[in-house]
Amino acid sequence: MDNEVLRCIHARRSTRKFDERQISDEQLNVLLDAAIWAPSGGNNQSWLFTAIQDKEKLLRLNDLVRDGFQVWIPDDDYPGKLAMKTYSSREDFNFYRNAPTLIVATNKPNYENAMADCALALENIFLAATSIGLGSCYINQLHWLRNDSGVRAYLCGLGMPADHVICSSVVVGYGVGEPPVPARKEGTINIVR
Ligand SMILES: Cc1cc2nc3c(=O)[nH]c(=O)nc-3n(C[C@H](O)[C@H](O)[C@H](O)COP(=O)(O)O)c2cc1C
């Protein structure tokens, strides 16, 4: 079987290098509309998608993330977390990969489907971005720093409700180069008939 949706699913790649061009308002609206049409547990739709496109604000957030990582104690030994802590002290640290647009997905507290709902919305954003020629990537660092007071206060200043949990974020823009295509692991499908 072959159709546009299936081709889009296979064509989507995590893009981590972007050029300077900002995406258009129309493109941003397409992505945010895709997000809010994701399913949500009990039709909660309690998420908020905050799109940040202002360069200065993104850089300020990057500084706060850098500060946050300096004092952050990873809650497990996932190698990516330790690498990020080290990377955060470098001069060229940029957690959002210098993308022109960052969309932060937050959700109400004490809601067990908060992460699942936001993850599904993010996948909609990834697929919509692919379908209109944009690159995108899941960015986990704001979730890791979800309890950091500096990061939280700054996002609240940008409209995040004070009690919201930072679930995830995505960067979007015009990708540079061809991202690698990571092979899919064998043995991850189990069909019982
Ligand atoms: C929950 C989750 C967290 C991720 N966090 C990051 C991240 O912080 N930074 C990053 O560059 N990629 C991140 N990724 C992207 C994965 O690294 C990527 O999906 C994987 O390498 C497979 O590549 P593909 O998306 O091109 O198929 C994340 C993906 C998921 C699902």
Side-chain angles (χ1 to χ4, degrees):
M1 271 184 241
D2 181 37
N3 63 40
E4 271 188 63
V5 174
L6 296 173
R7 277 197 295 278
C8 187
I9 287 171
H10 286 101
R12 180 211 59 77
R13 285 281 68 75
S14 292
T15 301
R16 301 183 177 91
K17 206 162 182 213
F18 299 91
D19 71 24
E20 293 264 306
R21 283 173 294 166
Q22 183 55 277
I23 66 172
S24 69
D25 291 354
E26 188 186 8
Q27 288 170 321
L28 178 63
N29 289 335
V30 163
L31 302 180
L32 295 172
D33 182 64
I36 64 169
W37 277 96
S40 60
N43 193 26
N44 254 280
Q45 299 183 46
S46 48
W47 45 39
L48 179 74
F49 302 99
T50 299
I52 310 173
Q53 296 193 301
D54 182 293
K55 249 187 179 175
E56 294 304 314
K57 290 188 171 68
L58 285 170
L59 286 171
R60 176 73 190 125
L61 183 58
N62 194 54
D63 285 342
L64 292 165
V65 167
R66 184 203 302 274
D67 293 347
F69 275 129
Q70 303 302 312
V71 293
W72 177 65
I73 298 166
D75 45 14
D76 57 39
D77 57 2
Y78 177 67
K81 289 185 174 175
L82 294 171
M84 188 56 63
K85 211 171 150 56
T86 309
Y87 171 42
S88 68
S89 56
R90 275 172 38 180
E91 195 58 38
D92 62 347
F93 171 76
N94 187 283
F95 84 94
Y96 59 91
R97 305 272 175 178
N98 292 300
T101 296
L102 173 76
I103 302 172
V104 185
T106 62
N107 214 329
K108 68 178 178 182
N110 305 315
Y111 168 48
E112 70 164 355
N113 293 318
M115 286 294 287
D117 290 359
C118 286
L120 289 167
L122 257 57
E123 178 67 358
N124 272 12
I125 293 177
F126 298 145
L127 293 178
T130 303
S131 76
I132 58 174
L134 297 174
S136 59
C137 188
Y138 197 116
I139 296 292
N140 225 355
Q141 284 67 61
L142 292 176
H143 176 65
W144 294 350
L145 294 179
R146 61 193 173 280
N147 296 320
D148 181 273
S149 55
V151 168
R152 288 196 64 81
Y154 193 68
L155 290 176
C156 286
L158 300 182
M160 180 182 87
D163 63 345
H164 260 210
V165 176
I166 304 170
C167 292
S168 43
S169 69
V170 48
V171 287
V172 197
Y174 288 92
V176 173
E178 292 292 319
V181 184
R184 265 38 197 176
K185 292 183 180 171
E186 299 287 331
T188 62
I189 294 175
N190 180 28
I191 300 175
V192 179
R193 292 200 174 92

